[in-house]
Amino acid sequence: MSDIITLRGVSKSFGATEVLHDLDLTVERGTIFALLGPNGAGKTTIVNILSTLVAPDGGTATVDGHDVVRDREAVKRSISLTGQSAAVDEVLTGEENLRMMARLSGLTTREAKSRSRELLDRFELTDAASKRAKTYSGGMRRRLDLAISLLLTPPVILLDEPTTGLDTRSRQELWGVIRALADNGTTVLLTTQYLEEADQLADRVAVLDGGAIVAEGTPGELKSRVGGEVLAVHDGDGEVTREIPTDGTAAGLRAALSTLAPTDAVSLRRPSLDDVFLAVTTQKGPSA
Amino acid sequence: MTALATESTFIRRSIIHSIRTPDVLVTAIALPVLLMLMFTFVFGGAFESDGHYVDYVVPGIVLLCAGFGAASTAVDVAQDMTTGIIDRFRTMPIRASAVITGHVVSSLLRNLVATAIVVLVGVAVGFRPNATPLEWVGAFGLIALYILAITYLFAAIGLAASSPEAASGFGFIIMFVPYLSSAFVPVSTMPSWLQWIAGHQPLTPIIETIRSLLMGTSMGDNGWLALGWIALILVGAVIWTTLLFRAKARRR
């Protein structure tokens, strides 16, 4: 078991605003790690520190054993970043984008050509290969962006809100790609505002709020932290009208039921990451 | 990757950008040609009734056209700096500022083509230079140096601007400078306070040098003044560009 990403006591302020406060984080090699949090929680700052775009004010961060400040060039060779705004050249075609980035990544002209073809095919962009990226849909642009990140296979891939603004189908396609990466041994650190995404993809999740990690664990651990089953009360049309969290024991359930009328329709569900998220971000409840 | 391959990849990218952005090509080539025709046929008769105004105005038009053509560099640079693509370049193991070099070299090539077209159109409407081949080389060399210097200046403006729109606005001010020089009328015809400005600003010696090389007017100190001004602008703009690029990287 080895950690490929480590942050120790990292802090960062922009002007008077403290974005990260004494943050510790480790990501194990070959896993998918999700940073979950609302806008402004500091997710992007963490990604920017790990990708050498931003230097931390305090603490240390390493990627694959290289310090992000002292050993920038080595870190750059160990990562690829897919930022929040799609980093594609709109004037160039999809294929030209890939070939340009491949050349910049150090491939020969010939390697660049064949690798680009391969990725266009894998990301279902072959038909649009000779169209300018400007004409691409949001989903296609994201796929092109991700394809560029995968021209080389660095040990760490950083994805900043990779599925924001995508429709359900494109999102699920991207999830497939990300899972395949991890299956091949690449470490993926992604940020997301979507609990479902963290739940579906990640081996471990850190919930970030106000520049600090407020909860961390596997999706299952986090869910069990909010308690047991949730008792849902339905109206005549089957709509959920009330939700009562329970501790998952018979006694707890009995207590919850005793507050209801005998004719009420009820069901039980496992707590979702939504429940965790609300619990830890609003009350600053259980902390990691 | 070798530095040279990085630079050439970025130069290729910027050239494709130039070719695929029709309004840039129109500004760089069609606008100067139209201006030349306008100055020759519309204003020319009033300035110089003997019909040789075209001989006077071509060097000025060439520099004006270089200004128009180079100005889009500010917009290109600002665009790259405000979209996510610069972050990708910065996180790759390359010298990210080569992206600026790409825009500069592409602007230089674009404007040299525009200059050649403008001179050819000039010849078609009566421009009759008496330069030797060596003087032609000297004139084009000086024009190329001027384009390089002003392009770097626009690149710096593009870095300093907060958005492509702002970059375009700042650039417009610089494009006005040729009008306050000996480009279109001799400095001696201006009011005395303006003569001082027009006589001491960088464009007048540059234009007079080109005029001397192509038309055989007297050179005087203009050649050295022209080279000095260009060197000053170029070195200043390169330093400013380098500092701004670093500062932008750090500020985030």
Side-chain angles (χ1 to χ4, degrees), chain B residues 37-78:
Chain B
L37 298 177
M38 191 174 75
F39 273 103
T40 307
F41 292 115
V42 181
F43 303 145
F47 292 160
E48 243 176 84
S49 47
D50 60 4
H52 290 304
Y53 183 62
V54 67
D55 284 335
Y56 183 82
V57 84
V58 165
I61 296 277
V62 164
L63 290 206
L64 187 70
C65 125
F68 284 137
S72 61
T73 307
V75 181
D76 291 339
V77 169

Side-chain angles (χ1 to χ4, degrees), chain A residues 65 108 165 190 206 208 241 268:
Chain A
T108 65
L190 62 93
L208 207 62
T241 55
L268 281 176

